[in-house]
Amino acid sequence: MEQVPTSPGERPEQASASPESAYTATATISEQGIVTEWSEDARRLLGYVPSEVLGLPAAQLLADGAGDTAWRIPSGQERWSGTVALRHRDGRRLELGLLAHRWTSTGGTAKWFVVSAVAGEPRTPRGVSLNEWAFTQSPCFMAIFDADLRLVRANAGMERTLSLTEAEMRGLRLPDIAPDPVSDETERKMRLVLETGEPQYEEAFVRPTGASTEHGWATSLAPLRDRDGRVHAVCLAAHDRTGIEGDRQLMLLPDDAGARIGTTMDSARTAQELADAAVPRFADFALVDLLEPPPRADEPPTGPVAGPVTVSRTAARSVLEGSPESRVAVGETVVYPPLSPPVECLAAGRGAVYGTSDSAVARWVAEDPGAAWIRENGTHSMMVVPLRFGGTTLGLAVFGRHQRREPFQPEDLWLAQELTARAAASIHKARRFNREHTSTMTLQRSLLPQSLPHHAALETASRYLPAGTDAGVGGDWFDVIPLSGARVALVVGDVVGHGIRAAATMGRLRTAVRTLADVDLPPDELLTHLDDLIIHLSADEADRDGAGETAGGIGTTCLYVVYDPVTRHCTVARAGHPPPVVVSPEGSVYLLDVPAGPPLGLGGLPFETIDVELPEGSILALYTDGLLQPRERDIDEALDGMFAALSRPASTLDTVCDRVLTALLTHPPDDDVALLVARTRALHADKVVVWDLPSDPSIVSSARRHTTDQLTAWGLDEAAFVSELVVSELVTNAIRYGQPPIQLRLIHQDRTLICEVSDSSNTAPHMRRARTFDEGGRGLLLVAQLARRWGTRHASIGKTIWAEQSLVGY
């Protein structure tokens, strides 16, 4: 936009254009200098109708010869003002004062909005009269003090504030007018203004006698100078900041309350936080009631509620001791009758302000004895606001005033609705969390062992503690799995994440571990299969909702231990899990040095196994990392505490578990904690016998005889017949289909007899159904009928076919 500055001159046309009234001419000019808008008052000033100027360069409106001295507004400048010579439609030259503002739309298009004020006949007095009115009638507290700091002028605001006339105060110093230490400080600053000539904007206050310390006026002091710049007096201007501060604090209340409401996943605590945020900030009392029964998670959103309405008094707060407005205790039931203000607001789905003279309140007090508190405590103004979230009504809040004289205003209702909306969102979240937490806990506990199996190889005890934080239940688990050959597997795992999906993933992994353990996979191979399973689960989850890594369990850790009571050997492998702790029978405590291995779900990385011999009576402690991550200590201190607890002699393993938890957990844990403790036992030579057999069909009869003799020695003659048949079939099968050497082993364990036949062939037997005239094919079918369970266990060389018989009843 191009404009021409000229020497300022008289503006006769403005006066003659509108002698009776003032007006403002406006126009809009694009960044390229094109007129895009032209107002009626612009036509009135310059005579051009819109069709004559729209789309033309604004420079064509400049007076003759002005274009030679045109200048541009500097780049980046957002506002310009000055005098410009323009040409009227009839050819006259007008020198006009213009003010131009640069506007930029949200789309980035810029334009200039140009205005020019045209004066008319003045409607108010000029000069001294108007200035005098401004001083005397200003709502601000204003006064003038001379060079001796004595009052010479005071306006109506000061007279009204101090309840003194100007005549009564004239000639007095400020401490004489309003005796107060604050007045002394203000006078000291006034003297500083006289001496330095600099205004003072410090936080100073003037208070009338008897006013509270909270009520005051923020003061500004300015020097009054003559034409030569000499300071002759001080002007004091004060603003009542009490109302302003109160309004500002109320406007900030929602933001402040946002940090105070919903600090926990507890609906009752959130309701109390709502009441605490309202009282005494803008209400004298607050009651919060939640609907009974609460809305169900699987129900569609509920609309407005009709009466009568049953609620539970969940929170109360009052400036009066004991909250007398609440006629029932927190936790008790309240029934609001139909047509009462609470029911009206619930039915309408919005809040309302009531005075005690309102017909609805009067009817409520007359019909409901529970509303007698309204008159008893002098309540004169009340608000009722429903607690709603996502279309669902959760309850209501009642706010009242009986100590403050001013009634609730519309802005107070807006404030109450802001607070209740925040509280409703937190209560809804807390209830949903509690439902999910309960469901997750139920699912998790159903997936964990309900009781540990009794096993001759190990004595076991366990503890499980869910996380005590809002993160929710995690996926920690443990298990004790009987294996063939009297062996037993101990497993502890930790699924990444929290919540119902982590618990569901934990259930899948626990099932997978039991399935893989049932086929007697070595620990390292078992972890490799689990690793593959996690990868597949993550891929499935990613395909479904894009949350594969967390939901599928990538990062899950696992520790797998197999103990053999016959050899007293312990085979261990771990996938990113903390190593087990071993306590020797003599009391020494140490971490078992097991290669860490990667967490499950990474794929392509190997797992390593170690094999150690443990003396009978050794204790193994398996745990998840939640046990070693308390807030107030580091990992080394936690390990020292666990070692000290494990080293102390204890009569039972339950005592050991309790000691460990007591030593390490001084508060609810931040993460789930699983602890599994086992004491090893041994099967001695009198319970295990082994025979090496030649690969000769004639040896089958000898194997049956060895079995019968041993069972007689163990006092198990009644089991001899079935055992002979099982041994005969297994030995025959090894001679016919296996490879030497062949070995027969009998294990007597509690009320169980285990028959095992090993050979060096890796070919696994398969049970098949023999046809009518087949001479073979019925051996394993017979074993399956006679034994409680049977299976095949592979070793690095060869295999073992085993059958387990129950001795109950023999």
Side-chain angles (χ1 to χ4, degrees), residues 668-745:
D670 297 331
D671 194 4
D672 289 18
V673 173
L675 174 64
L676 178 61
V677 178
R679 180 181 284 121
T680 63
R681 295 169 176 160
L683 286 177
H684 299 287
D686 60 335
K687 297 295 183 180
V688 181
V689 292
V690 179
W691 296 278
D692 293 324
L693 304 176
S695 182
D696 184 348
S698 62
I699 201 64
V700 175
S701 59
S702 299
R704 289 198 297 267
R705 186 171 59 254
H706 293 324
T707 300
T708 303
D709 293 343
Q710 186 60 52
L711 293 181
T712 300
W714 284 338
L716 301 176
D717 297 278
E718 295 182 5
F721 176 74
V722 173
S723 299
E724 283 188 19
L725 291 176
V726 170
V727 168
S728 177
E729 292 299 332
L730 294 182
V731 172
T732 301
N733 204 62
I735 294 172
R736 180 174 299 177
Y737 302 107
Q739 297 179 2
I742 298 173
Q743 187 180 78
L744 169 64
R745 184 170 73 162

Side-chain angles (χ1 to χ4, degrees), residues 112-361:
W112 287 90
F113 179 64
V114 184
V115 298
S116 180
V118 182
E121 290 184 352
R123 298 189 179 185
T124 56
R126 300 278 185 178
V128 177
S129 297
L130 194 59
N131 296 339
E132 181 70 14
W133 292 352
F135 177 83
T136 58
Q137 299 179 33
S138 170
C140 299
F141 179 127
M142 296 183 69
I144 298 175
F145 292 83
D146 62 17
D148 294 326
L149 298 182
R150 296 186 178 276
L151 185 138
V152 294
R153 291 295 309 276
N155 74 341
M158 185 172 183
E159 292 178 327
R160 183 172 56 253
T161 299
L162 300 181
S163 300
L164 294 171
T165 66
E166 181 185 88
E168 291 172 321
M169 294 184 286
R170 186 178 297 117
L172 298 177
R173 294 168 46 242
L174 183 60
D176 301 327
I177 299 170
D180 189 275
V182 175
S183 297
D184 295 332
E185 175 64 17
T186 303
E187 187 181 61
R188 186 188 69 80
K189 293 183 180 296
M190 291 166 61
R191 185 172 291 107
L192 189 62
V193 172
L194 287 172
E195 294 173 353
T196 64
E198 298 294 332
Q200 295 290 316
Y201 301 104
E202 302 292 334
E203 286 289 328
F205 300 90
V206 177
R207 279 197 306 272
T209 303
S212 66
T213 57
E214 293 80 8
H215 195 90
W217 290 261
T219 305
S220 298
L221 303 170
L224 300 181
R225 305 175 186 271
D226 60 18
R227 291 180 179 272
D228 297 327
R230 293 189 296 268
V231 178
H232 290 275
V234 178
C235 178
L236 181 152
H239 303 270
D240 186 354
R241 58 174 288 169
T242 307
I244 297 174
E245 280 295 304
D247 292 342
R248 189 176 75 88
Q249 291 300 322
L250 286 181
M251 294 302 293
L252 293 176
L253 181 56
D255 293 333
D256 177 53
R260 300 170 52 193
I261 296 176
T263 59
T264 65
M265 289 296 178
D266 185 332
S267 298
R269 176 70 179 273
T270 299
Q272 188 60 54
E273 289 169 344
L274 168 61
D276 293 343
V279 179
R281 299 286 290 276
F282 79 100
D284 293 328
F285 70 88
L287 308 174
V288 183
D289 301 324
L290 298 183
L291 290 176
E292 289 292 342
R296 288 170 50 92
D298 54 356
E299 291 178 348
T302 59
V305 181
V309 176
T310 301
V311 297
S312 173
R313 179 61 43 81
T314 311
R317 175 73 184 270
S318 174
V319 296
L320 302 178
E321 185 177 358
S323 298
E325 301 87 354
S326 180
R327 302 298 292 269
V328 300
V330 170
E332 294 186 4
T333 297
V334 178
V335 179
Y336 288 118
L339 303 181
S340 63
V343 174
E344 283 184 348
C345 289
L346 287 174
R350 60 180 180 272
V353 178
Y354 295 89
T356 52
S357 60
D358 292 351
S359 58
V361 177

Side-chain angles (χ1 to χ4, degrees), residues 5 22 29 58 143 254 289 296 330 341 359 381 424 445 500 513 563 573 588 650 665 678-679 706 796:
I29 301 174
D289 301 324
R296 288 170 50 92
V330 170
S359 58
S381 185
R445 293 192 180 280
I500 197 164
V513 169
Y563 175 69
S588 61
L665 302 179
R679 180 181 284 121
H706 293 324
S796 56

